[in-house]
Amino acid sequence: MIRLAFIDWALLGIYFAFVLGIGWWLKRDIRTSDDFFLSGRRIPAWVAGLAFMSANLGAQEVIGMAASGAKYGMATSHFYWVGAIPAMVFLAVFMMPFYYGSKARSVPEYLRLRFDEKTRGFNAISFAVMTVMSSGISMYAMGLLLNLLLGWDFNLSMWICAGIVLLYILLGGLTSAIYNEVLQFFLIVFGFAPLVLLGLRDIGGWDGLQTGLVRVATDQGFAPGVWSHSWQFMGATTENPMGVEWFGLAMGLGFVLSFGYWCTDFLIVQRAMAAESMQAARRAPLVATVPKMLFPFLVIVPGMIAIAMVHSGHSPISLPSKADGSTNFDLVIPMMLGHYFPNGLLGLGLTALIASFMSGMAGNVTAFNTVWTNDIYSPYIRPNANDAHLLWMGRAATVVGVLLSLAAAYLAASFNNIMDVLQLVFAFINAPLFATFLLGMFWHRANGHGAFTGLVAGTACAALHHGLTLPAHAVAGVKGGWIALHHVYPSEMAQNFWTAIFAFGGCLTVTVLVSLMTAAPDRHGLRGLVYSETPHAADETGSHLGLTATLGLLALCGAIILNWIFW
Amino acid sequence: MNLDIRWPIGLLFAVFGMLIFTYGVLGDPQPSVGLNVDVIWGAVLGAFGAVMLRLARNAVARQ
């Protein structure tokens, strides 16, 4: 257990005071529901971009990526350089003009404008459930970690953090959440950078790390370079610890999962939608690509250092086991914080960790209150509510959202690998979604009936595939195979990637078929919503298309170079 | 926005930097890999905070 000194408590206390202070200061900016839900569309590009990046940088991400770094090594970078950058560029260059240009307040609202009410309803309800669940999982993980690490009371730490999040969102709405995300971004960068630097210094620099990783690989029966390379051992599922091959990786993660998440998940897209102009909205995901490209060094490398030390035989840190006897990789970051950080720096690291848990919750709650008020309450429950009532409802939904998250946190207790569960949820709900958006934005013939049946079919395909397959050494149930067992994948990750591919394929096929069998949508109504129906040169997007595309291309080049260096 | 986010970021990091630096000098923290990291990193944090505050002030001056 880690012992905190007065200085560490002081830093944490100061951070809490700042968070609430920001909310209190922003309170005067909140006059209409647009201010509360969309920051009045006044956020500058760089702030929107960093918030865009850190809305995804919850503590699960930080802890989970370090855990994956230990489990899989450099190949974990695929979640960044393959599974994020291309999708972020695509969003900025091709999709943002329709999200921002349509003046929709949310992703589900875009679906209503482009398709129909039922497609929006399906998306809005599933999204609302998902955000509450993710936020609950995040809170649960935090309560557990703080209890294990510091001996804090599980319930008390969870309720205090939830209370602070609730207060600052009630005060400052989305702006509060965004500002705190940006603050958390810098805390994570400055809180974890010394961990990497000290770890590398201890293990003998980058070369020392590589030598250590050879042992990690050979100890587990793999070729010596497996932990240091991202692509070299992706030829066959048996060659790497992820148990995936290049096609499943590129298609499943690089295309379906990644585009489904980065281009359609409202939690993320909301940050760009709140930007001050179309140009800023398109710039936001591009701004985010820069830190996103560099983050593997901050979050994956600590895991690699830890595992290399453990296998060296004289490790200063040890990784505890879970109840089933397997190594608990989720404790890589906390264990390293405890070992390398003296009091003082420890307070900073702990604040960064708690900040990322809290901003993860805040992100989910702000997305939830928007979707609930804008896409469920306003259209179905009280269609003629005035703006003041909607603003009140947004605040009420914030309270309910936090309470539901806490309820979900208590439910989340039975899951242990946070990342795998989140991936599974994304696969079921988000994977078919990208097919819907792709067709909606780039094929004018796609209609509401097609989109809705396609989404249902895609989600069903995902469930069916999951129900018929199982990862190796797993028992039928939550891991899959709950209908019958038709195929065994070498790993859970491979199964997730293929679930996503089937969901996408199913949704795409059914949407096209049903759209062709039913009436075509009115083409005049699609202006500003579909690529072919929207004039490009005349509006403000036209003049910046060149620059946005150029910046996007630069980001892609960066990702390619990184993949090549660590090939 | 009536609050430039660089103010709170700059202020928080300046305060954190000063506190951690001072603790590193006076509090005699345990060395990590042979270094007094509180002193080093406290200075880095403080410098970053100062840069942010400077940027925020420049933005005010430009208006």
Side-chain angles (χ1 to χ4, degrees):
Chain A
M1 203 169 305
I2 296 170
R3 285 198 178 281
L4 296 186
F6 176 75
I7 174 88
D8 307 312
W9 287 103
L11 295 176
L12 194 59
I14 291 170
Y15 170 72
F16 281 164
F18 258 80
V19 164
L20 292 175
I22 290 175
W24 180 79
W25 197 283
L26 292 171
K27 199 177 119 186
R28 66 190 83 172
D29 273 343
I30 309 296
R31 286 179 215 96
T32 67
S33 65
D34 249 0
D35 295 335
F36 189 76
F37 296 122
L38 267 182
S39 303
R41 296 193 196 262
R42 283 198 299 265
I43 303 288
W46 74 274
V47 176
L50 290 184
F52 182 93
M53 148 96 208
S54 37
N56 160 262
L57 191 67
Q60 301 108 304
E61 167 93 357
V62 174
I63 288 173
M65 282 300 158
S68 298
K71 270 194 282 190
Y72 312 124
M74 205 59 211
T76 311
S77 66
H78 289 311
F79 284 96
Y80 292 76
W81 302 333
V82 176
I85 306 294
M88 289 157 83
V89 171
F90 186 82
L91 172 69
V93 175
F94 294 107
M95 291 177 72
M96 201 39 87
F98 304 111
Y99 279 138
Y100 198 88
S102 69
K103 292 285 163 209
R105 283 171 144 201
S106 68
V107 166
E109 189 175 344
Y110 171 83
L111 286 177
R112 181 185 64 81
L113 295 171
R114 172 61 184 88
F115 294 116
D116 56 12
E117 199 60 72
K118 59 181 180 296
T119 311
R120 181 247 282 263
F122 181 77
N123 181 238
I125 292 166
S126 59
F127 180 80
V129 174
M130 207 173 76
T131 47
V132 165
M133 224 186 70
S134 326
S135 153
I137 292 172
S138 167
M139 278 284 122
Y140 163 75
M142 187 196 72
L144 210 60
L145 186 66
L146 294 180
N147 177 267
L148 191 73
L149 218 54
L150 305 161
W152 292 358
D153 183 66
F154 172 83
N155 297 306
L156 192 68
S157 49
M158 215 164 66
W159 281 83
I160 288 180
C161 289
I164 291 173
V165 166
L166 174 68
L167 266 176
Y168 79 66
I169 299 176
L170 280 181
L171 287 165
L174 180 65
T175 317
S176 244
I178 287 181
Y179 274 29
N180 280 304
E181 277 157 10
V182 176
L183 196 61
Q184 169 241 347
F185 169 81
F186 288 110
L187 278 171
I188 290 271
V189 171
F190 283 95
F192 285 13
L195 199 62
V196 179
L197 298 173
L198 291 169
L200 278 178
R201 188 181 152 90
D202 201 15
I203 204 169
W206 190 256
D207 290 337
L209 174 62
Q210 299 310 315
T211 315
L213 289 175
V214 168
R215 179 130 188 213
V216 175
T218 48
D219 275 0
Q220 297 178 59
F222 290 102
V226 172
W227 258 257
S228 318
H229 294 275
S230 57
W231 283 102
Q232 221 171 73
F233 300 93
M234 287 293 155
T237 54
T238 47
E239 286 180 17
N240 61 74
M242 278 185 172
V244 295
E245 32 60 62
W246 67 272
F247 182 79
L249 181 81
M251 262 313 270
L253 175 68
F255 181 61
V256 181
L257 280 176
S258 134
F259 281 69
Y261 176 63
W262 292 98
C263 301
T264 71
D265 194 304
F266 177 53
L267 169 56
I268 313 221
V269 176
Q270 187 178 25
R271 272 73 200 149
M273 281 175 146
E276 61 191 355
S277 65
M278 171 72 91
Q279 190 192 351
R282 300 183 73 190
R283 211 53 60 74
L286 295 177
V287 168
T289 56
V290 179
K292 192 72 189 170
M293 259 187 263
L294 302 175
F295 253 69
F297 300 106
L298 207 60
V299 295
I300 300 175
V301 171
M304 291 163 62
I305 295 173
I307 197 73
M309 282 180 169
V310 168
H311 279 260
S312 71
H314 44 267
S315 172
I317 55 165
S318 60
L319 296 176
S321 301
K322 288 188 203 168
D324 63 1
S326 61
T327 309
N328 192 347
F329 289 108
D330 285 340
L331 289 178
V332 164
I333 289 272
M335 286 294 150
M336 286 185 73
L337 283 181
H339 175 72
Y340 285 112
F341 283 12
N343 292 113
L345 214 51
L346 192 60
L348 175 72
L350 192 67
T351 304
L353 210 54
I354 293 179
S356 76
F357 274 115
M358 285 176 31
S359 94
M361 184 182 204
N364 278 300
V365 170
T366 46
F368 170 83
N369 67 22
T370 309
V371 165
W372 163 262
T373 310
N374 191 50
D375 297 294
I376 299 174
Y377 182 77
S378 165
Y380 305 126
I381 299 172
R382 190 132 168 217
N384 298 318
N386 62 24
D387 196 72
H389 181 79
L390 289 181
L391 177 59
W392 173 84
M393 192 63 221
R395 291 204 160 107
T398 307
V399 178
V400 174
V402 169
L403 289 176
L404 285 175
S405 304
L406 284 168
Y410 287 104
L411 277 176
S414 53
F415 299 104
N416 48 29
N417 199 327
I418 305 158
M419 209 56 198
D420 288 344
V421 174
L422 278 180
Q423 289 275 356
L424 185 68
V425 175
F426 291 149
F428 279 23
I429 297 174
N430 280 357
L433 205 56
F434 185 62
T436 308
F437 279 87
L438 202 60
L439 290 171
M441 286 182 177
F442 301 99
W443 189 46
H444 64 83
R445 187 60 184 78
N447 64 21
H449 295 315
F452 181 74
T453 40
L455 274 180
V456 175
T459 306
C461 275
L464 199 65
H465 178 265
H466 188 252
L468 291 173
T469 60
L470 203 61
H473 316 301
V475 199
V478 72
K479 302 276 182 200
W482 38 271
I483 302 171
L485 191 56
H486 272 266
H487 184 75
V488 174
Y489 284 102
S491 70
E492 197 166 329
M493 206 183 277
Q495 183 201 28
N496 287 342
F497 292 170
W498 282 97
T499 299
I501 294 172
F502 275 95
F504 180 84
C507 178
L508 195 78
T509 316
V510 171
T511 308
V512 169
L513 289 179
V514 174
S515 292
L516 288 175
M517 285 190 293
T518 47
D522 171 27
R523 287 183 78 149
H524 295 294
L526 299 182
R527 213 184 146 91
L529 300 169
V530 181
Y531 196 77
S532 61
E533 310 303 310
T534 308
H536 298 287
D539 59 20
E540 59 171 318
T541 51
S543 56
H544 297 298
L545 185 71
L547 187 54
T548 307
T550 312
L551 291 173
L553 218 54
L554 278 176
L556 286 180
C557 287
I560 290 171
I561 291 171
L562 285 167
N563 273 301
W564 177 72
I565 293 175
F566 293 95
W567 184 275
Chain B
M1 293 290 114
N2 73 39
L3 175 65
D4 183 336
I5 190 175
R6 284 170 290 198
W7 287 117
I9 295 175
L11 210 57
L12 184 74
F13 277 89
V15 171
F16 271 23
M18 267 187 302
L19 286 176
I20 294 175
F21 181 85
T22 313
Y23 184 81
V25 174
L26 304 177
D28 195 25
Q30 214 175 354
S32 177
V33 206
L35 297 174
N36 187 338
V37 284
D38 278 354
V39 168
I40 302 169
W41 208 250
V44 172
L45 295 173
F48 173 73
V51 168
M52 274 288 162
L53 289 175
R54 187 61 199 262
L55 288 174
R57 231 186 58 175
N58 287 355
V60 175
R62 247 181 283 123
Q63 281 169 5

